[in-house]
Amino acid sequence: MSKNTVRSHPVIALDGPAGAGKSTVAMRVAQALGYVLVDTGALYRAVGVLAQRRRVRTDDVARVEQITMQAVESHALKMVARAGATPIVWIDGEPQTDALRTPEASHAASIVSGYPGVRAALLALQRSFGSDGGVVLEGRDIGTVVFPDAEIKFFITASDTERAHRRHQELLQKDPSSQLSQVLAAVRERDSRDASRDIAPMKPAEDAVVLDTSAMSVEEVVAVVVQAAIGAQTV
Ligand code: DC
């Protein structure tokens, strides 16, 4: 879609670092507006899981790129997204949920997302969800690369200590041995890898609104995004 085409419902790009609350905000915004939700991080996580299933090491760039392209083309890797619901990623005909959320999957996703062939393979897939608008995409490069013409762009962030604290609380529910210091180290490592990679580094788009949510409630953040989206609707 060209820059001049008017969508009656906006594309909402929510970018930002891990643990800033993007996923929760994206879900609530999609529910409030009845928009389709696309969690692009889940696609990168799925590539990490795919590599594990295919017994390909995540540092083998060429093989990871090859299996990703093949899996996207053959629909062995796909995402099913619906209005106001968590999108489901499928690998080899099986829906993936918990396997994508482990610390290992987070780590693998952060590595494979730096590979140009992986990003290229996932780009068309991400764009296929959004071109008609009425969609919320959350990720790192939605406003800069995937939908540079998105009508609404927010870069949602928070201090690294606050983000580590939030992620730690989430992990504790599944793993009582979670250590805050380790979670903080992992958050910092991932931030620096995501922000410093050559291709599509995590950064706010020039026309994005940067929201520091360190001292904001989820409800406050959702209200800001929903208001902006309603203002951009033309029907
Ligand atoms: O948002 P998340 O934690 O599920 O993302 C997992 C990894 O995928 C993260 O380290 C960065 C990468 N990612 C990316 O490079 N581009 C995106 N649009 C989304 C995620």
Side-chain angles (χ1 to χ4, degrees):
M1 173 166 293
S2 84
K3 268 244 170 231
N4 300 325
T5 313
V6 177
R7 301 178 181 107
S8 55
H9 289 268
V11 168
I12 304 178
L14 298 183
D15 291 304
K22 271 187 328 268
S23 305
T24 312
V25 169
M27 167 58 91
R28 301 239 185 127
V29 168
Q31 285 174 338
L33 297 167
Y35 284 12
V36 168
L37 173 63
V38 180
D39 169 7
T40 62
L43 291 170
Y44 291 96
R45 290 167 179 272
V47 172
V49 172
L50 182 76
Q52 200 181 20
R53 289 179 79 116
R54 301 280 191 272
R55 300 191 189 286
V56 170
R57 290 171 46 133
T58 48
D59 60 1
D60 187 341
V61 184
R63 283 283 291 139
V64 171
E65 291 184 333
Q66 187 191 27
I67 60 167
T68 307
M69 280 179 233
Q70 277 172 354
V72 172
E73 265 170 34
S74 66
H75 303 286
L77 169 56
K78 64 176 185 179
M79 176 180 271
V80 177
R82 285 168 301 135
T86 306
I88 308 284
V89 171
W90 292 71
I91 299 177
D92 297 334
E94 290 169 18
Q96 308 290 313
T97 47
D98 293 350
L100 301 181
R101 309 295 334 160
T102 64
E104 294 74 29
S106 302
H107 182 72
S110 178
I111 305 234
V112 300
S113 61
Y115 300 165
V118 169
R119 301 202 76 87
L122 297 181
L123 188 59
L125 192 59
Q126 295 171 77
R127 286 188 176 152
S128 69
F129 290 107
S131 49
D132 292 337
V135 64
V136 182
L137 294 107
E138 58 135 324
R140 303 291 189 286
D141 62 337
I142 308 303
T144 50
V145 176
V146 182
F147 280 102
D149 65 344
E151 290 79 2
I152 305 289
K153 297 183 187 181
F154 283 97
F155 190 85
I156 297 183
T157 189
S159 67
D160 54 6
T161 46
E162 175 61 24
R163 289 184 288 116
H165 174 73
R166 293 177 189 172
R167 188 47 63 98
H168 175 59
Q169 294 302 321
E170 195 182 300
L171 286 172
L172 273 181
Q173 292 171 15
K174 287 181 203 144
D175 176 10
S177 68
S178 176
Q179 296 284 330
L180 182 58
S181 58
Q182 284 174 5
V183 178
L184 178 59
V187 162
R188 286 183 172 157
E189 187 195 324
R190 210 138 70 87
D191 280 0
S192 104
R193 201 181 303 113
D194 292 346
S196 65
R197 67 177 174 230
D198 292 337
I199 176 164
M202 171 181 69
K203 62 170 185 204
E206 277 176 17
D207 51 351
V209 175
V210 178
L211 266 191
D212 184 335
T213 69
S214 303
M216 285 173 88
S217 69
V218 170
E219 289 71 25
E220 286 171 323
V221 182
V222 170
V224 171
V225 179
V226 167
Q227 276 311 311
I230 289 173
Q233 289 178 359
T234 58
V235 285

